[in-house]
Structure formats: structure tokens, C-alpha cells
Amino acid sequence: MADDPVHLVAVIGAGPAGLFAARALAATGARVLLLNRDIKPGGLAEYGIFLNKYKMKGGLRRQFHKILTDPLITYLGHVTISNKGDLTVPDLEALGFDALVYAIGAQGTKYLGVEGERLPGVYHAKDLVYHYNRLPPFSERPFPIGRRVAIVGVGNVMVDIANYCAHFTDCDEIIAIARRGPFEKAYDDREFEDVEDAFDHALYREEIERIRPRLVAAGQNPDELLAALAAKPEGSRTRARLRFRFLASPRRVLAEGGRVTGLEVEENRLERKGDRIVAIGTGETSVIPADTVVFAVGDRVDEDAGLPYKDGLYLTVPGEDPAAAYQVLDPAAGKAQPGVFVVGWARRASDGVVGRARLDAETGIKHVAGYLAARPKRPRAEAEQAVESLRQTLAERGAALVDYAAVQRLEAEEKARAAADKVEEFKFRSDREMLDAIRR
């Protein structure tokens, strides 16, 4: 009922984890304030799914629309929560929410410590994905792609980067570089179908023969790989050819005159350790010629968000209690921060895709609900006043807030522009353009 007492919960981050967390909280009767850094909700569902997968993105947007029109959920976009943001973590804690749920993903850059990895022409995969999916400010920055692109990592993100290079740039060659071997590849075969037309079978066979002795020494049968390859018809050729370089760890990005010329790698061998296959460096190095290098090696959390962190992850409570994995640790006290939780990639960076984020959020909210059950509720009118007070505070601090009604106006304008341009999808490139479109 509209007058029933409620718990008031803030969810920070409106990607899949944050949206499904908000829905799960609302299902318990909680009043939810959903705060988002970006103008549009969706997170990686909006800005991480490959740019031409319109049907998938459309289906997710429809799900999110149902969530965001729930009367128990208020969406406020274009709000940064960080040490230097519109709100800080202490600001939120002082506002008296019954719980805070952080679903802010893993927005930090994971560096490997490789010499030259910050040179021009060297990119982090997440930044490039945000660029071609038009997430400001990445959409406003140039990300020139050369003729020979080396991608470090062989997960699904590598496939997306290879897809972009093969079909949306003037790239000639894409080299996917794996620390271990072909049996340990991390991408999904169905995802790889998007780049089958660029995959060079002859070069793959050459690579398997090159590393055959090292595979056999680890008890692996390279003929299984060649038989599987022979069963697949070679796709229609794109301009770019995709090849693999296995058993290679990056050591140094080479450059001349400020321009990338190649990637020095160390050759590896494989060794069994229990149930695992690990890569062991041999000390032998070689150079892979390239003029662009993309590191697709996962992500780490944003260290400026204001939550305690270590080794690229936010700190949660240790122990066997399943709830502890979702509770943010107070390092000084050695126990949980009361009512502060993390879900999704904020809890486990780069773990799965939308379905995994949803499951993690819904599991986490069960533990949040358990925490809330021991706390008194407040009158619904008091909760509404708290939401309005926060809105006013943000406006006074100069934040250009965007509610869900404004998002709907923006999406209507983008659909109209797409229809006029006769394209499947149109996105404004900058926050300023989006805010201007909302205000028209």
C-alpha cells in the first residue's frame, strides 16, 4: 500500500546488477533511489554489448523499462559518487539510508606493469568498447586503429575487439595473444562466430604446428584442434585476417618516434599443477609487429569511488558466511560496515555477463533483505521527503540531474534521429548533446 512504512535504500550504479538489485529490493517493498553516473541506465548492457547487436540490446532495454517505471524506484542519472564527485560515500552514509548497495561495476583500468602499456596507440579494451558504443567521455576521444592490431587476451572481449577491427576499421591483421594454449582459450564458441569470416585457418594450423611439442609435453593432443578446424568451412574473407599467437606473455610495447611498432613477448611452456594448466616463461623472447596494442585482460575497481579496496577489488568481510561476501569491510574495525553492500562486478570484477550480474544482484539482495528485516521501517512520506531532499541537495551542488522521464525523452529523440538517418541506432556522442536533446 502507498502509505505502508518502508525501508529506504540507495542503489549506486544502474547497470544490469544495479537495475536487477533495485527490482529485487522493490519486490520486498523497499523504497529505492537508483543513482547512476551515466545519463542513460543500462551500464554494460547499453555500452558493453557489441554495437550492432540491436535485438539483444532492445530486449534488455524493455526489461529495464519495466524496472524503472516501478513507483517504488526513483532513477537519478548523471550523478557521480566518488571522492571528488557530486556525492561522496560519507555524504550518502550521512543521509540516513537504511542500506547502501554499490553496483558500480569495475571502472578502473587493469595494468599489467608492461613497459610501454600507456603509450599512444595502446588501449585498454574497456575504453575502446566504450568508445565505439558511444559512452561519454570515451566517445569524444580519438581511438585510431592501425593496420596490425595485437590484442592481449583471448576471452569474449577479445572477440568483440577483433569484430570491431575486422568489420568497422581499415585493419589488415589482428593477432590474438594468449598466455596459455588453445585448449585454455576463454571465449565462447558462439561469440566467436561473429569473427569466423576473418579467422585465417591456414595461419591457425601453422601456429598449432609451431607449438605442437609444447602441447604434447603437457599431455595435450594438437590433432584434436586440427580435426575440429577441418570440420568447419572457412568463412568468406574480410579484409582483415585474424590469427592467434599462443604461449606468449607480453613483456614490452615497442615504439619509435612515439609510434607503436610491436609487442615483445616471452615464449611460454605449459605445466600441469593439479587440475590446472599454468604457463611458465622460458626466457626466450620475440617481437610481434603491430602498430596498435589492445589489452583485453579484465578490469579492476575504481579506487576513487570511496570504498576500501586492495589488489583491484573492494574489500568484503572474510569468512564462511555467504552474506559476508556482499558486505563491505570496515578495515579499521575489522568487521562489516553496517548496511553497506556490493553486488555484480563491484564485488567480483569482470565476472560473466548480464545473466551473471542479475544472479549476483538477486543473491546479494537476499542478504540485504535479511539485514533490513532487523531494522525499523519509516513512514512512506518520510522516505519520499528524503528522496526529494537529496534531489534538492544535488541540484544545489550544480548536478544536472536526469530522471527516467528525461531518459525516455532522450531515447525518443534518438529513435527519431535514427529513423531520419535510416540507421538501426543513433546515439549522441557527448553528455552535452544528450542534455540539450532532453531540454528541447
Side-chain angles (χ1 to χ4, degrees), residues 31-315:
R31 182 69 173 87
V32 183
L33 179 60
L34 183 57
L35 299 167
N36 194 36
R37 176 198 65 182
D38 305 325
I39 287 176
K40 296 171 70 175
L44 285 178
E46 179 69 28
Y47 296 110
I49 293 173
F50 198 71
L51 69 156
N52 64 359
K53 294 188 175 181
Y54 307 115
K55 184 176 180 180
M56 181 185 297
K57 288 190 285 188
L60 287 168
R61 286 174 185 146
R62 287 189 290 274
Q63 289 187 58
F64 298 158
H65 173 75
K66 291 180 181 179
I67 294 170
L68 291 163
T69 51
D70 188 316
L72 285 172
I73 298 172
T74 293
Y75 174 82
L76 292 180
H78 204 227
V79 179
T80 56
I81 314 292
S82 73
N83 292 334
K84 299 179 181 179
D86 300 311
L87 289 172
T88 65
V89 170
D91 285 338
L92 278 178
E93 292 172 346
L95 287 167
F97 288 96
D98 296 303
L100 302 173
V101 179
Y102 288 87
I104 53 179
Q107 300 301 323
T109 299
K110 184 178 181 180
Y111 290 106
L112 298 181
V114 173
E115 181 183 339
E117 65 184 329
R118 300 178 190 240
L119 286 169
V122 182
Y123 308 130
H124 188 272
K126 172 173 59 62
D127 298 347
L128 183 55
V129 169
Y130 284 166
H131 168 74
Y132 64 63
N133 273 313
R134 293 209 163 186
L135 171 65
F138 302 95
S139 52
E140 301 170 82
R141 300 174 189 166
F143 282 77
I145 300 296
R147 296 292 189 184
R148 292 173 60 90
V149 180
I151 308 173
V152 179
V154 288
N156 286 336
V157 176
M158 175 279 291
V159 175
D160 279 354
I161 299 298
N163 190 356
Y164 175 68
C165 291
H167 299 111
F168 295 87
T169 78
D170 291 328
C171 176
D172 292 324
E173 187 170 29
I174 305 153
I175 310 102
I177 300 167
R179 182 172 50 88
R180 296 186 294 171
F183 286 99
E184 292 77 48
K185 55 90 173 170
Y187 61 79
D188 183 273
D189 288 337
R190 291 188 63 182
E191 295 291 327
F192 194 75
E193 292 174 2
D194 293 335
V195 292
E196 284 282 5
D197 58 348
F199 179 37
D200 193 307
H201 288 206
L203 290 175
Y204 183 80
R205 284 190 289 269
E206 287 180 16
E207 177 64 5
I208 297 305
E209 294 302 334
R210 185 183 74 85
I211 63 172
R212 175 183 284 273
R214 284 178 273 177
L215 297 179
V216 171
Q220 297 178 338
N221 183 0
D223 291 330
E224 293 179 13
L225 300 166
L226 298 178
L229 182 70
K232 295 182 179 181
E234 188 151 1
S236 58
R237 298 295 302 150
T238 60
R239 169 175 176 163
R241 58 181 183 173
L242 169 62
R243 64 189 302 171
F244 283 84
R245 179 68 177 270
F246 295 109
L247 299 174
S249 293
R251 287 291 173 262
R252 182 163 59 111
V253 179
L254 306 177
E256 293 180 6
R259 298 177 63 88
V260 172
T261 59
L263 181 67
E264 182 181 272
V265 298
E266 180 180 9
E267 296 290 331
N268 297 326
R269 61 180 175 83
L270 295 175
E271 186 174 296
R272 289 189 177 273
K273 290 192 175 181
D275 295 331
R276 297 186 305 126
I277 291 281
V278 298
I280 306 295
T282 65
E284 179 186 348
T285 62
S286 57
V287 173
I288 299 172
D291 47 18
T292 302
V293 177
V294 182
F295 285 91
V297 293
D299 305 288
R300 59 186 291 133
V301 299
D302 180 5
E303 297 175 0
D304 291 324
L307 297 175
Y309 65 89
K310 183 179 180 181
D311 299 330
L313 295 172
Y314 295 128
L315 295 178

